[in-house]
Amino acid sequence: MRLVIVDYGMGNIRSIISSLNYIGVSDVAVSSNYDILKASDKLILPGVGSFGKAMNRIKERNLDAYLHEFVIDYKKPILGICLGMQLMGKSSNEDGDNDGLGFVENSVRKFETTTFKIPHVGFNQVMVTEDSRLYSGLNANPDFYFTHSYRMMGEANINPSFCDYSEKFIASFEKDNIAGVQFHPELSQRNGLNLLKNFIDKF
Amino acid sequence: MLRKRIIFTLIYDHEYFMQSRNFRLQKVGNLTWLERNYKFQEIAFSLDELIVLDATKGKKSIEMFATTISKLVNDAFIPIAAGGGIRSVEDAELLFRSGADKIVLNSILLEDPVLVEVLVKTYGSQSIVASVDYKLNNGTEEVYIHDGSVKIEMELEGYLKYIESLNVGEIYLNSIDKDGTGFGYDFITINNIKDKINLPLIIAGGAGNEKHLIDGLKLSGVSAVATANLFNFIGDGLPIARKHIINSGENIANWDVNN
């Protein structure tokens, strides 16, 4: 099993690698190279930073076309983490209006609240659906570590889980070979390690 | 509901981890000792967050410190905040690249607020922890910088208000008097200031047992309780404490601590 973390120069990937190693995934590469991405069994799209900047870097490296080929045409399993999840959406209004990779139809918008502190930072509970693969075997309403100011909107057809912070928002989605989590599984203790293991085993 | 947090603070000095008491440091062991003898990876499963502070007296090497951070990432699957001696954007960048999720600032809050502003803009408020060390002197809460060695003009409350104006993400409030004593937090000061500041507040200094942690978590206006005491929570002290704290109904995250 070879897993490749998509490298577009943004995101703290050390913790992701150490979490994968901990659950027994030792063959982990970090790359933006077409052939290396193509030869992978699974992909992780990480991300910390802003949407517009990230999409620019992805386009500079032609990764939008590569990822479309592997994820949409070849159905290679992919997990988007935090900004990586948002990038798989249709668009975002962070740094002006920007198109995303468009793997799902959902768009990304900033939290609208005057009473809650934004960014939403810390461990919070996730309400999961029964037929989820990502949360298989985890306790009910597991806690995960979030740090974000934007969230994915809409729910159509992507088996979402939800978190409650000023409103109910999408904490994760899973659709065929594509999964995204708004939180950081690599910073979420056993819950996160178990979720990563589920992505490896069940996608 | 957003959870409160239990934080462990590792005090670092020249590749060794230290037990601090009133800011006097005693060498305990290096990273290998921490992993093998202290079983830090197991203990870390009881924590919500890790703070690592370079308290090396005199000249600090941020490169050596960053190397230790990059290794600690393999031991804890939680956010790591690192600091002590950050004096430039490059220092901060090095710590982030080494695996830190947040950075901890202290002396530059007072001495270089322009740099603090740049760091907040570059990495976001949520990545910046402001560390404040204080001690009581004739009923006055005096603030110290440079590892507790230099007293500043401002008193605690005014200083905390000033720090809020820097748009940092949270405040790590550490009592030098209680540091390493295990006698419990300085609740008099904490109760006095906790409702006067709007930033998330991490309290540190004095926690010696799980009751102290619970007492801290019970306070409204306190977001997190920290302990730097390597000896009081040795072995399965923290895993057991975490279970008790969850069972007592405190609002902290739940996962399988053992497994």
Side-chain angles (χ1 to χ4, degrees), chain A residues 14 117 123 143 187 189-190, chain B residues 3 44 47 198 254 258:
Chain A
R14 275 179 188 275
K117 279 177 196 162
F123 277 92
D143 284 283
L187 303 177
Q189 294 284 21
R190 300 269 186 212
Chain B
R3 304 294 204 173
L47 304 172
N198 293 311
N254 199 356
N258 309 99

Side-chain angles (χ1 to χ4, degrees), chain A residues 5-203:
Chain A
I5 298 172
V6 182
D7 179 21
Y8 57 98
M10 283 168 80
N12 181 357
I13 51 173
R14 275 179 188 275
S15 315
I16 299 177
I17 296 170
S18 68
S19 299
L20 289 167
N21 291 343
Y22 187 85
I23 61 168
V25 181
S26 51
D27 191 1
V28 180
V30 182
S31 180
S32 58
N33 177 281
Y34 178 87
D35 293 322
I36 292 175
L37 292 169
K38 189 174 181 178
S40 69
D41 297 300
K42 289 188 164 67
L43 298 168
I44 283 183
L45 185 63
V48 172
S50 72
F51 194 99
K53 195 170 162 191
M55 276 313 293
N56 283 341
R57 293 193 177 195
I58 283 172
K59 285 177 185 161
E60 278 165 20
R61 291 163 172 78
N62 222 11
L63 283 166
D64 48 340
Y66 299 171
L67 288 174
H68 194 276
E69 180 183 336
F70 303 140
V71 175
I72 303 298
D73 300 345
Y74 299 166
K75 305 281 180 209
K76 206 185 273 287
I78 186 168
L79 173 67
I81 296 177
C82 196
L83 177 64
M85 168 208 185
Q86 297 181 356
L87 293 169
M88 299 200 287
K90 193 177 177 188
S91 69
S92 168
N93 64 349
E94 187 178 11
D95 309 331
D97 287 321
N98 289 287
D99 286 340
L101 295 166
F103 296 164
V104 293
E105 284 300 303
N106 308 59
S107 57
V108 177
R109 297 285 178 268
K110 192 166 191 179
F111 274 110
E112 290 169 26
T113 171
T114 48
T115 46
F116 282 70
K117 279 177 196 162
I118 300 300
H120 169 222
V121 183
F123 277 92
N124 207 332
Q125 284 180 295
V126 172
M127 294 159 272
V128 308
T129 54
E130 275 180 24
D131 58 345
S132 159
R133 285 173 286 166
L134 284 176
Y135 302 97
S136 173
L138 274 77
N139 292 333
N141 303 333
D143 284 283
F144 290 94
Y145 181 79
F146 291 83
T147 173
H148 62 124
S149 301
Y150 290 73
R151 84 289 195 215
M152 192 172 253
M153 314 288 290
E155 1 186 325
N157 202 21
I158 53 170
N159 196 10
S161 73
F162 293 96
C163 178
D164 199 341
Y165 187 74
S166 82
E167 62 176 271
K168 216 172 112 182
F169 69 90
I170 298 180
S172 73
F173 69 84
E174 47 196 287
K175 186 190 178 193
D176 304 325
N177 57 316
I178 305 170
V181 291
Q182 179 59 65
F183 47 80
H184 287 274
E186 76 280 15
L187 303 177
S188 299
Q189 294 284 21
R190 300 269 186 212
N191 291 343
L193 296 170
N194 289 337
L195 182 138
L196 288 171
K197 187 115 183 34
N198 281 337
F199 171 66
I200 301 300
D201 293 344
K202 298 180 192 301
F203 280 77

Side-chain angles (χ1 to χ4, degrees), chain B residues 204-217:
Chain B
N209 58 46
E210 67 183 51
K211 185 181 174 299
H212 297 150
L213 301 179
I214 292 175
D215 289 345
L217 290 167

